[in-house]
Amino acid sequence: MGFFQKIKETFVGKSTKQNEKYVAGLDKSSASFSSKINALAARYREINDEYFDELENILIMSDVGVNMVMKIVDEIKKEVRLENIKDPHAINDIIVDKMFVIYANDSYMTTKINYAENDLTVILMVGVNGAGKTTTIAKLANKIMHEEGKKVMVAAGDTFRAGAIEQLAEWANRLNIPCVKGKEGGDPSSVNKVNLMKELEKMNRIIKRVVPEGPQETLLVVDATTGQNGISQAVEFSKITDITGIVLTKMDGTAKGGIILSIKDMLNIPVKFIGLGEKIDDLQEFDLEQYIYGLCNDLME
């Protein structure tokens, strides 16, 4: 059984809270992607080279990334030749299958947080201004408390963006958790009461002085609506710190949901969480099957 059929049996006509959030959160991406694939099939009576050229363009415009697009389309071509498929309407299940298989192959992509066994777990959140770090921190803290049953404290390291400290402090107050903070405009590492150090790599050294095995996670927060610019951010951050996972925010605001596939292809860093809305529980652990279904569910009707 191919992934297309498996996912239809698993999700179509069934509803869970997580499933509903993925479908709703990826609605823009699904509508855009599916409508383009269906329109492509309607323009061709038979699969040919021009069809595949247009399919490549659709995938690239969905932010899948050129290298992965080439892999996906090459695999689709092999399957089409092997099965002697001529009808463009019969290719949807193969497209879904190959997107899933190529993402899942050749690597172990864990979405779980690496908690310390008997010590403090430090999760360092990094990203450019406007990516949604502060809100994501609050959502992740809420998730860890209620789903993992752990105690959480937040520390405000963004001392330069106006209002960042107070915004985090307000979230901490709402969640009833402690917030360690310095002064706005001060040194970001000063919340750890050590020497002035501004660079991200020095922040890591400071953390290790207190928690030698930390940070257990360094999560890069990327705004999904920035598309390939978000990929560039991930590349640059990965040069200066060991990124253990990606949090993709604002997935509900983009029509180009293929960015997840592009991140995997270019960086081989797991997407651990995705933001599917503005509510406190709209931060979801990344699930590949749910994601592919949310992105492609209009093709399955």
Side-chain angles (χ1 to χ4, degrees):
M1 180 189 299
F3 176 74
F4 183 85
Q5 293 301 322
K6 178 178 180 290
I7 204 170
K8 285 183 73 173
E9 291 186 5
T10 303
F11 298 119
V12 174
K14 301 176 183 178
S15 180
T16 64
K17 184 177 180 181
Q18 186 185 41
N19 176 248
E20 290 173 356
K21 285 188 177 295
Y22 267 84
V23 171
L26 293 170
D27 180 62
K28 285 185 179 180
S29 291
S30 180
S32 175
F33 181 70
S34 298
S35 65
K36 290 175 182 176
I37 295 294
N38 288 330
L40 176 62
R43 288 197 300 275
Y44 287 86
R45 297 180 61 184
E46 187 174 293
I47 296 172
N48 54 29
D49 289 340
E50 287 74 21
Y51 170 89
F52 284 118
D53 287 342
E54 288 201 45
L55 177 59
E56 288 178 0
N57 288 333
I58 290 172
L59 292 170
I60 290 170
M61 292 304 293
S62 296
D63 273 342
V64 174
V66 175
N67 290 334
M68 183 161 276
V69 167
M70 296 301 106
K71 294 176 186 176
I72 291 171
V73 173
D74 282 347
E75 289 299 312
I76 293 171
K77 287 179 178 179
K78 291 177 185 177
E79 189 80 10
V80 166
R81 285 195 297 269
L82 184 66
E83 301 293 333
N84 195 30
I85 297 171
K86 303 293 185 182
D87 182 5
H89 293 281
I91 205 172
N92 288 358
D93 58 340
I94 299 176
I95 294 173
V96 176
D97 278 348
K98 299 309 177 185
M99 288 173 65
F100 174 83
V101 169
I102 289 175
Y103 185 99
N105 273 357
D106 301 327
S107 62
Y108 175 66
M109 305 294 281
T110 180
T111 62
K112 302 296 183 183
I113 292 176
N114 178 35
Y115 291 109
E117 287 188 16
N118 300 303
D119 199 356
L120 177 70
T121 296
V122 178
I123 302 174
L124 182 63
M125 308 289 286
V126 299
V128 301
N129 285 347
K133 292 190 299 298
T134 305
T135 305
T136 298
I137 289 169
K139 290 178 178 180
L140 185 58
N142 181 72
K143 193 175 189 69
I144 290 171
M145 284 192 300
H146 291 96
E147 295 184 13
E148 304 282 349
K150 297 183 181 293
K151 294 181 179 179
V152 178
M153 172 186 288
V154 295
D158 187 353
T159 59
F160 294 105
R161 182 174 67 82
I165 292 176
E166 293 312 313
Q167 184 185 2
L168 186 63
E170 174 58 29
W171 271 114
N173 185 53
R174 290 187 208 176
L175 295 171
N176 195 29
I177 59 176
C179 177
V180 180
K181 59 182 182 178
K183 295 180 179 179
E184 187 173 297
D187 169 54
S189 62
S190 65
V191 297
N192 289 321
K193 297 181 180 180
V194 292
N195 296 332
L196 295 175
M197 296 180 181
K198 298 179 182 179
E199 296 86 351
L200 182 56
E201 54 260 306
K202 291 183 180 178
M203 284 290 292
N204 277 295
R205 290 183 211 147
I206 294 165
I207 291 169
K208 288 183 183 298
R209 289 182 186 179
V210 181
V211 184
E213 300 302 317
Q216 280 76 12
E217 294 280 358
T218 300
L219 301 180
L220 174 63
V221 181
V222 175
D223 179 349
T225 65
T226 62
Q228 291 302 306
N229 186 45
I231 304 296
S232 298
Q233 292 169 22
V235 170
E236 292 306 311
F237 271 99
S238 65
K239 290 178 182 177
I240 58 174
T241 190
D242 182 21
I243 303 296
T244 60
I246 304 287
V247 182
L248 269 176
T249 63
K250 309 176 190 177
M251 283 296 294
D252 56 314
T254 181
K256 298 182 177 182
I259 186 173
I260 290 177
L261 302 175
S262 191
I263 287 174
K264 161 65 162 56
D265 182 52
M266 295 186 67
L267 298 170
N268 206 36
I269 297 174
V271 174
K272 293 206 170 186
F273 300 95
I274 60 174
L276 296 169
E278 297 181 0
K279 295 179 182 178
I280 191 70
D281 63 346
D282 282 337
L283 183 71
Q284 293 289 309
E285 182 178 317
F286 177 65
D287 182 291
L288 179 58
E289 291 189 4
Q290 295 272 14
Y291 161 69
I292 296 291
Y293 174 65
L295 182 64
C296 303
N297 74 90
D298 289 342
L299 293 176
M300 301 181 187
E301 295 179 351

